[in-house]
Amino acid sequence: MKRIAALILLASLSANALAFEPFVVSDIRIDGLSRISQGTVLNYLPVNRGDRLTNDGAQRAIRALYQTKFFSDVEVDREGDIMVIKVVERPSIAKLNIRGNKDIKEDDLRKGLKEIGLSEGETFDRLSLDRVQQELVRQYYNRGKYNVSVEPHVTNLDRNRVAIDIEIREGKVAKIKEINIVGNKAFTDKEIRKGFESDTSNWMSWYSKDDQYSREKLSGDLEKLQSYYMDRGYADFGVDSTQVTIAPDKRTMYIAASVKEGDIYTISDVHLLGELILPEESLKQLVYVKKGDTFNRKAIEASTNSIKSILASIGYAFAKVTPVPKLDKDKRTVDLTLYIEPGKRVYVRRVIFQGNTRTEDDVMRREMRQLEGSWFSQPAIDRSKIRLQRLGYFKTVNIDKALVPGTEDQVDLTAKVEEQSAGSLMFGVGYSQYSGIILSASVSQNNFLGTGDSFTVGASRSDYSTSINASYFNPYLTDSGVGIGYNAGYTKSNYADTNSDFVNYESSMKSFSSFLSFPISETDNIRTGLGLSSNKINLAYQYVDTLNGNTVTTVNYSPQIMIDYQNAIGHKTIHTWDATIGWTHDTRNGYWAPTRGGLISLSTDIALPGSTVQYYKIFGEANHYWPIGKGFVLYLDGQVGYGKAYGQTFDYDGGTSYKAGDPVTFPFWENYYSGGVRDVRGFQDNTLGPRVCTGTNADGSPIQPNKDGTCTGGYYSYAQPIGGAFKVLGTAELYLPLPFLKDINTARVSWFVDVGNVYQDYQSFKASELRASTGISLHWQAPIGPLIINFAVPIRTKQDDSHYEERIQFTFGSQF
């Protein structure tokens, strides 16, 4: 067919070049141009003025102009000594529309079409359109869609232009009816197909799509089959043949594979050859197969990767380690040689950043642990990538290496990033039967003007609370990474609504603090700070005269234990100056959606001597992420909070609860709380832990709640949660791979189990009092902002919890 096309082209060229006697070209005239300039044609023409033109030269000129793909017809003639070229321009593509594509994104399609020369503004070539049609059909075949139809339509427009419509009918993916493996004796079909991506239709196929055939999946499964045997000693295993049959309706596939298992082999010896660089004994410690071991390809690959990694850490960026197994089929042994080619030791000439349109180069460069002018180090590059990812400014981070042209010992590193929103403009609107309508707004920027500094200004208001806060942090006050930050805030809470189930009191707090952050290693950080605050607390109670006018009774809206505490310290306004110190150990590999590593933190907040109430709070947290295969990630988290007053005694009596001279106890306004969308899910915010009734008994002691959480006496029907000085929380979370959530940085779904509670103090801790819940959680970086939706079911509760259970919880904001 190609030969026939070549002959036709040759005949066409011969016909278009009229026979004439050779002559010297005095001038060149081009007829038929409308869109293409004469200068462009002359650039491609292999003939100039003054050249001697022959018939062969004319044919070369025609071929050169045809190859430009600008023209559908070219003729060469002469008028005296003038060379006359007559052309017919190909039409230009005015519009290119693609319809019906779902499997292949339109951006990817247009990019591929442009590479072929089929895009708006380009010259139209029918052959290119035919190639596109064939290539699209082939790609859909590879995806298992054998019913695909690709129909291009060309419409002629005015001014020698065309409009192209490519209509795609993808059809449905062919499903696998049967997978038959022949020749396996050592293992069952179920065992060897356990890791296959392809399977026959089953009850989970709607989710996994494993019954949909594709050539790539089948190739991967055959490779897994070979690995399965070779990892278990079958060194001469092979797939003899593979047959894929499609039914006449092109909707059903039958797959058959014939295998030859062979025998189990053992390692007779292991040799290291080539240029070792490091001592042989040191390298042998990186080899995971020993003499007498069963042959294992996975262990051999791990050995080669370990040796390459250690060489890459000392500058050998392009080291090769080639395993050469020599099989003795009679003895069923393998003599293994690892041939090492370290290549040249290289150093990094330059580090180049690409894609950072907002973030300054210096902000990225200070996170790089691979320095310019130093020896190449893969561990330093890997650490640099993690540090860039953890900034939270970038959706993706990739660091590529390339030899500097003309050298063998220099490389340039290119850090390619895709930036994402580092700022947020958050608006929240919510409703709760306890807080009423909740409005909130905040502006935050974690990468202010590309400098890496962060600030937040926020405000919120509900029926019971108004707060305004602002913070600023410069992570690089010094080049060594010492950071400085400031926080200022004002919060006014008013829970004096007598219909509220929250603990009833008013507070108005103003605060300011500053802190310093000190890096002490790649993963460890120490933070210290000082702060001042003033908190005015008004408890809700009133006096009511009885009808006879001779006695006065008291109606308490606030719990009696709080009233007694305030009376015992003798102050309504609490002045505090506090010091904080904290330590963080962070090995997570990402900011939004880590998949490995963890965070350990410990912090202490001390209200220093001279404060109205002296106390300290200690809070610790440890969590870790483990990838457990197939996209699943296990996350475990544990938190403990502890608070205690120190160095003071009560100045006054406080009812029956406190006596003058007794040691001051932990202040109720600093209590820990538990329950909520980011705590023990399935319970309303801050409702777990100790609950108390308002009012007192005849002897002046506080009324105690009933088993069902109701109060007999006092103003409220239900006991009010007041928090406590000791808190525990544990979470186990399994992040699930979902086919419709390809980018975990955008969205993650998890199944969780939460366990925790708050106690009056450490001595009150009882494991039997722990509450637990389980459910599903969605974390989504939505266009409207970060969104968390939980569906939780309490699985360990007490009778008095039912009033505070909450199945569906959510919070959201909006990004800019």
Side-chain angles (χ1 to χ4, degrees), residues 105 207-209 737-747:
K105 295 181 180 178
Y207 164 74
S208 63
K209 311 297 183 186
L738 299 178
F740 50 86
L741 294 179
K742 300 297 184 183
D743 184 3
I744 64 172
N745 289 298
T746 300

Side-chain angles (χ1 to χ4, degrees), residues 148-169:
V148 66
S149 169
V150 179
E151 294 291 339
H153 303 282
V154 179
T155 304
N156 293 319
L157 304 176
D158 58 353
R159 292 178 294 165
N160 199 25
R161 299 177 305 155
V162 296
I164 301 175
D165 290 292
I166 300 178
E167 185 176 359
I168 302 173
R169 294 184 179 91

Side-chain angles (χ1 to χ4, degrees), residues 416-434:
K416 299 178 182 179
V417 300
E418 181 184 351
E419 288 187 311
Q420 62 184 6
S421 174
S424 64
L425 173 62
M426 300 190 66
F427 295 98
V429 180
Y431 178 81
S432 166
Q433 60 177 312
Y434 301 103

Side-chain angles (χ1 to χ4, degrees), residues 332-352:
R332 297 176 186 172
T333 59
V334 177
D335 187 84
L336 179 62
T337 299
L338 299 179
Y339 189 75
I340 301 173
E341 300 173 86
K344 290 282 187 179
R345 192 180 187 190
V346 301
Y347 65 89
V348 176
R349 185 187 67 162
R350 287 192 303 167
V351 178
I352 305 165

Side-chain angles (χ1 to χ4, degrees), residues 17 174 354 492 516 662 713 736 807:
Q354 292 182 0
K492 183 176 182 180
L516 292 172
D662 287 349
L736 310 174
R807 294 291 194 272

Side-chain angles (χ1 to χ4, degrees), residues 639 675-681 685 729 788 790 809 811:
Q639 301 177 22
V677 67
R678 290 183 175 90
D679 204 89
V680 182
R681 288 160 280 196
D685 288 352
L729 173 65
I788 301 175
N790 299 325
Q809 301 167 313
T811 180

